[in-house]
Every structure is written in C-alpha cells, then in structure tokens.
Amino acid sequence: MKKRMRFLASGLLTTSAVAVLTACSSGKNASTQKYESSLTWMTTSEVQTLDQNKMVDTSSGEQAANVFEGLNRMDKDGKVSPGVATTSTSSKDGLTWTFKLRKNAKWSNGQPVTAQDFVYSLQRMMDPNTQSQQQNNYQAVKNASQVVAGKKSPNTLGVEAKDAHTLVVHLIHPVPYFKTLTASSWNPVNKDTVQKYGKKYGTASKYMVYNGPFVSSGWTGSNLSWKLKKNNQYWDKKDVRLKTVNYTVVKTPSTDYNLYQSGKLDGAFLDTQASKQLKHQDGYRVFKLDRTEYLTYNVSKNKDMANANVRRAFSMALDRAELAKTVGGANTVATTFTGPQETVNGVNFNKYFAEQGATSKYTKFNKQEANVLFNKGLKELGKSKMEFTLGGDDDDVSKKVLEYVQSQFESTFGKKVEVHVRTMPKTTRVSNMLNGKYDVDYTGLNPAFTDPYAMLSVMATGQNYNFGKWSNKQYDNYLDASSKEMNVNKRLKDLMNAEKVLDSEQPLSPLFHDGQAWMVRSSVHNLGFSLGKFNFRSAYVTR
C-alpha cells in the first residue's frame, strides 16, 4: 500500500526485480577510506505497525526487512540466501519442507530464536482473529483453509517444531516458489513478548523484540522520525557495518530534495519535475518496482460501485499514460493488476498476457465508450446521477492522483457524477479500507514474491486484502487451479484466465506501475532494494 503496500516466478526472484546501489568514492583508495556509522534516510508515509503478522503496507514492510529475519532472506543481489535457517530441503513429492535453524540466532532480548517461534508465527498469522493480510500466501499449508475459515484450530496447521532447531512444514500440494516465499514473508514471532504486551504489541518500538540486523528505536506509533540501530544480538552482526539508520517521513518531494541538498538526507525521493531536471546529475537513480497502483471499489457496501458497467466506465475514462507521467517520471502504464516483474518459470507473465492478446479493452482510454457504459450503468441502477467519495493518502503523489481522477471523471461524465475527494493519513485510510468504510479509494500493492499468483490471490473470495469483498466463482476456480498446477503452460493459462476475469469485471482499476526516481549520495554503497523495500544489512557509507 502506499503509499506503499506490501503485501506473489516460481523459483528465485530475478535480478530485474532488484536494484543495488554501488558507487566509487572519488578515487580514494579503499584502504584509506573512512567509514561513517550512520545513514539518514526517508520514506513517504507513516509506519502502520511493527507486528509481523499484521503488516499491509510497504513502509512497515521496509522496517520489517531490516529488523526481522525469516527462514531465508533476499540478499542485496536479489537471491535467496540462508537466514535463520541454514538449510531448506524439500521431499521428492514436494509436500514436506524441512528447515534446519542456526543455533546462534537470537532475539534482541537475548532469547534464542527457535523453530517454535516460526510455528507460533504461522499459527497466529492464519488465525482468523488476527485478520492478517498475509494469509493467502500460505493456503497450501495443510489445514490452512480450514483454520482461516475458523473451522479448525490454528494448532492443527501443518507446521511443527521437531526440536528447537528443526522446523517441518506439510503442504497439501507442491508449491514451486515456496522457498522464495520463506525469504520474503513469515518472520518469527516471540510468543512471550506478544503475551507480555498484549494489544500494545507492534504499536511502538518498545513493545517488540527483533531478530534482524537492526532494532527499531524511538517509533511511538504515530511520530514521523525514528531510528534503526544495529542489533548486537544478531548472529551475523560482524557483517552489519551501519550502527544507525535515521528515518524521517517526508511527504513532499520538494522538501526531501531540499533536505538532501542541505546534507540532512543521504537519499531523496523525486517528483516528476525534479526527476526531469536531475536525471543527468550524479546520484540520480531509478528503482523499478513490481507494484501496481489502482482504484479499489467497495462493491459490497456501495450499490453504485457494485455495478460492473459503472466500474468499467470509470476505468475507460482514465488516460493512464498521462496519469503515469503526471505523478512520476519513472512510472509505466498498468493495464493489468499483476506487476511487470512477475514470472512463471522464467516467463514474464505480463509479456505473455499481452502476446496472447488478452489485454482488456476496459483499461484503454476512451471517453465516448466510457459514457456509453456509464449511461448503461445508471439505467441499470435506476438513477440519473451518482455521488461518491474518492479517498487516498495525504502525501503529494496521492493528492495528484486523486485530483487527476476527479477531474477525468467529472470532465467525462459531467453533471451525472459528483466526486468528493478526501485525503487522510495512510493509517486512517488503511483502517477504513479494512473495515469497508469507503466508496472508491486509491491504493497500491507490492507482491510478497514475484509470481503472478501473489497479486491475483488477494482478490480471491474472502481474502482480507480484497477490501471491497468482490467475489467471482470463475475467478476463484482459475486461481485455485493455478496454485496446484505444476505444468508451466497450463499454469500460465490458468493465471491468464484469472487476470482476464479481473480485467473484465473491474473490481479494481489498475492505473500505473511504479518507478521511483531518487537522488542518492555516491558515498552510499551496497544499498539493497527489492520488492519495493530498501535493505541496509550490507550497506555502508564512506566520506
């Protein structure tokens, strides 16, 4: 979510999904370079939570990537590397995974990280009372669907601790991307800490323990600045060179660039105008995200938005090429919900989708056809006009998107539609969406891993991130088939058919895929970036 959401290539993530910053330092000999212990960084929106099982946004996910470590992790080159687990092995039939955990992994309070911490985390994640947005990632675990539906206890989930350092997972069908999945989600949870803090768990830095290269410090739950501090209990602390990462939320790109120029930030996100002006300057970097920005419609609680022709009309009223350029110089047009970097056994899904001629007509800009569909929708609803609220975050980019969408709708449909724009802090918008308190909202999604199933699965019936509660049996069937199909060609067709249903029904309207332009100092080295999140585990700074 944006403004960043987290929230699925079979096999490993491709290096195209990852950008790594490296830089030479003004010709100085490496042996004479001086290293700085701190880095000043920014993000464009507030952190919503530090609770591993409840994160839905990229700002929180970026913190998680630095303060927690799962069974495996993505290294700075985008490859799956051992994390808490030293080995990850699958049975011949692909139904049983065994993970051997390192014995020197510890929590920041000194307690050992054990297999039971991963068991508890997954059970807690799949417990319907947790309302985790990550549940769809692990539907293949034995008894997962029954647990999520409240029909079985979380204790029946197909995950067990054979001993303190041996974790076993039982699947109902093989999952070709399962090891990659363990590198991008499923962080351990310390049960003692959850029980100690209760409802406060994850709401502030002090109500947590951490097992990653850093610990969070000074985040109160609502403030706009905090620190990541080196975790001296981390098993590989000798390779973590930064002692502190100073974070600040800056919602206005012109402000963060001014802070960058004055030496108060080592990296600054650029808006469209600044991107055009600075693209040839030293330090200019573009990070491509496997992320889709989109409009979500509350089809379950708003009768107008439940009408498919109204949603199709809205989608066709938008000039996506113009919008993408308006809000960011590195963005690209989105005609599918799936992101541009998702692959199935090395086959780029969006490229495959286009080559099959499956692109939806409803994502093509056509004011005349939009009006035809809108009038048809109004007639079906028995009304002559409609009025609704268009919501989004209160950062500059979101405001530009909302203003553009409002303008396009009102210029296309005239007095037949009245759009009220409401901007709000991201935490408020997320809470409203989770509780179904919206008409149409602007949001975005990063997949948990680069398989098209990651994105598509969030719109399956009953999934928490399916905010509007859209349901389509045909879509569910295609998606379910794709999750079990091991034949690559058949699986691609199932996924394509699912995307076609989504594009036809428009329960959400994809807008653009993000590309972020940044200015980053040449003194910053080995800064990892994958799945829309920066990682500082291997980063260092020279002066």
Side-chain angles (χ1 to χ4, degrees):
M1 275 177 138
K2 179 118 168 167
K3 236 222 122 195
R4 304 225 222 286
M5 233 176 188
R6 256 184 13 302
F7 303 113
L8 284 175
S10 67
L12 307 183
L13 285 172
T14 61
T15 55
S16 64
V18 180
V20 181
L21 293 177
T22 56
C24 298
S25 54
S26 307
K28 293 180 182 179
N29 186 288
S31 63
T32 63
Q33 288 177 352
K34 293 184 178 180
Y35 297 97
E36 293 290 328
S37 62
S38 67
L39 179 73
T40 56
W41 208 250
M42 61 152 291
T43 184
T44 59
S45 58
E46 303 94 333
V47 171
Q48 184 187 8
T49 181
L50 288 176
D51 188 330
Q52 303 95 310
N53 299 146
K54 294 184 178 182
M55 292 179 174
V56 297
D57 64 303
T58 302
S59 292
S60 298
E62 185 165 286
Q63 303 306 300
N66 288 283
V67 300
F68 301 120
E69 184 171 80
L71 296 164
N72 293 291
R73 62 181 179 84
M74 304 305 298
D75 66 18
K76 67 180 183 64
D77 297 315
K79 297 179 180 179
V80 176
S81 298
V84 177
T86 57
T87 62
S88 308
T89 57
S90 171
S91 60
K92 289 184 179 181
D93 61 7
L95 299 180
T96 304
W97 280 84
T98 302
F99 302 90
K100 289 292 185 180
L101 277 55
R102 59 182 78 250
K103 296 180 179 180
N104 59 340
K106 293 182 179 180
W107 291 99
S108 53
N109 63 3
Q111 291 182 354
V113 178
T114 68
Q116 187 57 43
D117 293 325
F118 285 94
V119 171
Y120 176 68
S121 177
L122 194 61
Q123 290 176 343
R124 183 171 179 263
M125 181 195 304
M126 306 308 280
D127 188 330
N129 293 321
T130 304
Q131 296 185 328
S132 174
Q133 308 304 301
Q134 304 161 27
Q135 292 174 346
N136 59 297
N137 295 345
Y138 295 94
Q139 291 293 311
V141 176
K142 185 178 179 180
N143 290 334
S145 60
Q146 294 96 321
V147 171
V148 171
K151 296 178 179 179
K152 287 190 175 183
S153 167
N155 293 330
T156 66
L157 201 62
V159 57
E160 58 179 324
K162 288 291 187 181
D163 56 51
H165 302 103
T166 306
L167 178 73
V168 178
V169 182
H170 303 282
L171 306 178
I172 57 175
H173 60 78
V175 178
Y177 49 78
F178 192 74
K179 184 176 179 180
T180 303
L181 182 58
T182 66
S184 55
S185 60
W186 192 9
N187 290 309
V189 176
N190 185 289
K191 185 176 182 179
D192 290 345
T193 305
V194 173
Q195 293 178 336
K196 177 180 179 180
Y197 295 120
K199 292 183 179 180
K200 291 183 178 181
Y201 181 80
T203 62
S205 297
K206 62 183 179 180
Y207 300 131
M208 296 292 298
V209 291
Y210 312 93
N211 78 310
F214 298 93
V215 301
S216 178
S217 176
W219 180 66
T220 64
S222 60
N223 57 326
L224 302 182
S225 62
W226 62 90
K227 299 178 185 292
L228 298 181
K229 294 184 178 180
K230 183 175 180 177
N231 182 3
N232 289 321
Q233 296 288 348
Y234 182 56
W235 66 270
D236 197 24
K237 64 181 179 181
K238 69 180 186 306
D239 288 333
V240 180
R241 302 170 79 168
L242 287 173
K243 291 185 178 180
T244 309
V245 179
N246 300 293
Y247 257 99
T248 303
V249 175
V250 187
K251 298 182 181 182
T252 306
S254 58
T255 300
D256 63 61
Y257 182 60
N258 289 336
L259 292 171
Y260 175 83
Q261 286 184 304
S262 63
K264 295 179 180 179
L265 281 176
D266 290 313
F269 172 69
L270 304 176
D271 62 13
T272 306
Q273 184 176 358
S275 177
K276 292 178 180 178
Q277 294 175 344
L278 299 169
K279 65 186 306 180
H280 299 298
Q281 298 292 317
D282 291 341
Y284 181 83
R285 300 286 186 271
V286 171
F287 300 97
K288 292 293 186 181
L289 285 72
D290 189 34
R291 173 183 173 86
T292 303
E293 304 290 334
Y294 62 98
L295 298 179
T296 173
Y297 306 102
N298 195 343
V299 302
S300 63
K301 293 187 178 181
N302 186 306
K303 292 183 179 179
D304 294 343
M305 300 309 151
N307 186 281
N309 284 318
V310 168
R311 302 193 302 267
R312 291 164 179 159
F314 285 164
S315 182
M316 295 193 79
L318 300 172
D319 186 340
R320 288 165 170 78
E322 181 183 2
L323 174 60
K325 292 178 182 177
T326 298
V327 297
N331 296 327
T332 57
V333 169
T335 58
T336 58
F337 184 44
T338 46
Q341 297 169 354
E342 289 150 41
T343 62
V344 176
N345 281 49
V347 177
N348 182 279
F349 179 71
N350 277 6
K351 184 178 180 181
Y352 168 85
F353 192 78
E355 289 173 346
Q356 299 300 309
T359 304
S360 170
K361 69 176 183 179
Y362 300 121
T363 55
K364 294 179 181 178
F365 177 50
N366 188 325
K367 280 192 173 185
Q368 183 177 356
E369 182 64 21
N371 264 294
V372 171
L373 289 167
F374 193 64
N375 290 333
K376 185 177 180 180
L378 287 176
K379 185 177 180 180
E380 290 168 346
L381 291 166
K383 59 198 316 182
S384 59
K385 65 173 294 185
M386 70 173 56
E387 182 177 356
F388 66 91
T389 298
L390 174 65
D393 296 348
D394 58 0
D395 61 89
D396 274 16
V397 173
S398 294
K399 289 177 181 178
K400 287 182 180 179
V401 173
L402 297 174
E403 289 169 3
Y404 176 83
V405 172
Q406 179 190 41
S407 175
Q408 284 294 104
F409 285 178
E410 293 185 344
S411 66
T412 301
F413 307 117
K415 294 182 180 180
K416 292 179 291 186
V417 66
E418 188 172 350
V419 182
H420 304 283
V421 169
R422 181 192 176 195
T423 60
M424 64 202 91
K426 181 193 66 179
T427 51
T428 302
R429 193 255 304 164
V430 171
S431 177
N432 288 345
M433 290 174 67
L434 287 170
N435 290 293
K437 297 178 180 180
Y438 75 102
D439 295 328
V440 182
D441 267 10
Y442 164 60
T443 186
L445 180 68
N446 291 321
F449 53 96
T450 54
D451 188 282
Y453 181 83
M455 295 286 277
L456 296 174
S457 63
V458 302
M459 291 303 292
T461 300
Q463 293 300 324
N464 289 333
Y465 193 57
N466 183 351
F467 296 116
K469 306 303 179 186
W470 175 73
S471 179
N472 184 289
K473 289 184 178 180
Q474 187 180 36
Y475 180 83
D476 291 343
N477 289 337
Y478 283 133
L479 198 60
D480 185 57
S482 76
S483 71
K484 301 173 181 177
E485 182 59 66
M486 298 304 290
N487 180 284
V488 174
N489 291 329
K490 290 182 179 179
R491 186 164 187 262
L492 279 166
K493 289 181 179 179
D494 287 332
L495 291 165
M496 178 185 69
N497 286 331
E499 178 71 64
K500 286 172 67 176
V501 173
L502 199 67
D503 293 350
S504 175
E505 293 298 310
Q506 290 289 308
L508 55 82
S509 292
L511 301 177
F512 58 92
H513 302 303
D514 295 71
Q516 294 184 5
W518 283 66
M519 290 297 290
V520 181
R521 300 195 189 284
S522 60
S523 55
V524 179
H525 307 255
N526 283 10
L527 177 61
F529 182 83
S530 64
L531 295 172
K533 300 182 283 289
F534 288 100
N535 187 288
F536 306 102
R537 184 185 189 277
S538 301
Y540 63 96
V541 179
T542 57
R543 299 296 186 195

